Every structure is written in C-alpha cells, then in structure tokens.
Amino acid sequence: MTALIQQNPSDLASQVAEYFRRSVGNWHSERRYYTLPEGDTQEVASEITIEFLDQGCPDLINIAQLHELEDSIILTCGSKVNWKSSNSVSGKKLSKGATVFGVSETLLYRDQGFMTPKPVVAQYYLVDANTLCLRTEYNGSVFEEEIKLVGQRYRTRQTIISRAGEQTMIGQYLEKRIE
C-alpha cells in the first residue's frame, strides 16, 4: 500500500493531524451497505461527533496501553468518534458507541475494529490533503476505507470488506456537517 504523494513519516503525521482537525464537529451520516454477492442492502443514518485528541491525552495513553506500546505518549495525535445509529427506513435504533484513533508514523491504532471489540491497527496514507485511506486486517478480513473531505460541509466515505480475496460488503456514506 503506497500513497500517491510520497511523504516522510513526520510530515505524514502532521498532515493527518491537520486532516483530523478539519474533521472535528457534528455530522449527519447517511450510509448504505451492500452485501455481496447477493446485493442485499441496509440503509443506516447516524449522528456522529468527532473530537481532536492531542498527544499525551488520557484517551491516547489508553490506546497505547491497549496495544502494549512501550512509550505511552508515542501517539502524536488522534481522533475520538461518538455515534448513534438507526435504520433509515424503520427508524429502529441500531447502535451507539465511541471509538478512538491514535497516530504513530504510518500506523493508526484503534481501541476497537469495525467487526471486533478488540484493538486493531491500520496502515494509512493521504492521497491529498482531503483524502485519508486506511487498510486494516483482522479475523481473516481486510477493510479498505477512503474518507474524503468535500469542502467544509461534506465528507464521503467508502469501505470495502474482503475475505479470502473476495469482496463481501461495500459501504458508501455521505456525511453532512451539522451547523
């Protein structure tokens, strides 16, 4: 996995910190999940709150401890995401929770994965100042995600989940900043 823009790790860390700062705020997310190969769909709406985390804050120290990193302040910055989700069609509440991301060079440490409560690590890169890409592998699955800031008010996201070389799910998201 390589970035389209070649960067040294310290430049990349400062650029992802700026990306996280620009993502701070409240967002309304409309998403659709396609299960492959059947094509079954699920529509989900979420209210998301994103916070920026500075190096040395308790949340990042906790992530470092979860991952058994030798230096508890190695994570240079991070992001905390809180969400509440419901089925877009029925309105039925689906989930609520929070996850924390911490950055160290070209790795993004998380307190939990999309499909596991265990800590996970993603490789990341920036295509440009507005587009963050992640690749995470665990439990035999690969999660590839692209999150793109579109102006000040929108984000798009796409997640592709694969298992044994076959795509099993695609998630597409449109997120609008709530003023």
Side-chain angles (χ1 to χ4, degrees):
M1 182 168 87
T2 58
L4 296 179
I5 300 171
Q6 296 299 318
Q7 301 154 321
N8 73 48
S10 63
D11 288 345
L12 186 56
S14 66
Q15 291 169 359
V16 80
E18 180 57 28
Y19 178 91
F20 283 165
R21 283 186 185 94
R22 292 178 34 230
S23 297
V24 167
N26 298 315
W27 298 84
H28 176 77
S29 177
E30 293 287 337
R31 54 185 85 178
R32 181 175 280 173
Y33 295 104
Y34 301 92
T35 304
L36 304 174
E38 298 83 15
D40 297 336
T41 62
Q42 180 183 17
E43 295 186 27
V44 177
S46 300
E47 300 304 320
I48 300 171
T49 301
I50 301 174
E51 303 170 44
F52 180 79
L53 301 176
D54 287 306
Q55 185 173 27
C57 79
D59 283 326
L60 291 182
I61 290 172
N62 183 54
I63 293 286
Q65 291 169 345
L66 284 172
H67 286 274
E68 300 177 352
L69 301 176
E70 290 183 24
D71 182 353
S72 65
I73 60 167
I74 195 168
L75 303 175
T76 56
C77 71
S79 188
K80 182 174 185 177
V81 179
N82 292 283
W83 74 87
K84 289 185 226 174
S85 298
S86 60
N87 183 291
S88 295
V89 177
S90 69
K92 179 183 175 188
K93 302 286 185 222
L94 296 176
S95 66
K96 69 177 183 174
T99 190
V100 177
F101 303 85
V103 174
S104 179
E105 295 189 348
T106 60
L107 297 177
L108 191 69
Y109 293 86
R110 290 182 66 174
D111 61 344
Q112 62 186 332
F114 180 67
M115 296 180 144
T116 181
K118 295 180 181 178
V120 298
V121 179
Q123 294 176 301
Y124 80 91
Y125 64 94
L126 291 160
V127 174
D128 55 40
N130 296 315
T131 310
L132 175 66
C133 295
L134 309 172
R135 180 183 171 89
T136 312
E137 296 184 41
Y138 57 86
N139 297 339
S141 294
V142 176
F143 303 80
E144 296 174 289
E145 186 168 15
E146 178 187 275
I147 311 164
K148 184 176 188 85
L149 292 165
V150 181
Q152 300 294 316
R153 300 189 60 222
Y154 300 97
R155 292 187 345 161
T156 60
R157 292 171 50 193
Q158 179 164 284
T159 304
I160 300 171
I161 303 171
S162 304
R163 188 173 200 63
E166 296 289 326
Q167 292 75 29
T168 59
M169 182 178 285
I170 297 173
Q172 294 182 316
Y173 315 65
L174 174 61
E175 299 174 342
K176 299 176 186 176
R177 191 182 297 272
I178 300 170
E179 301 296 328

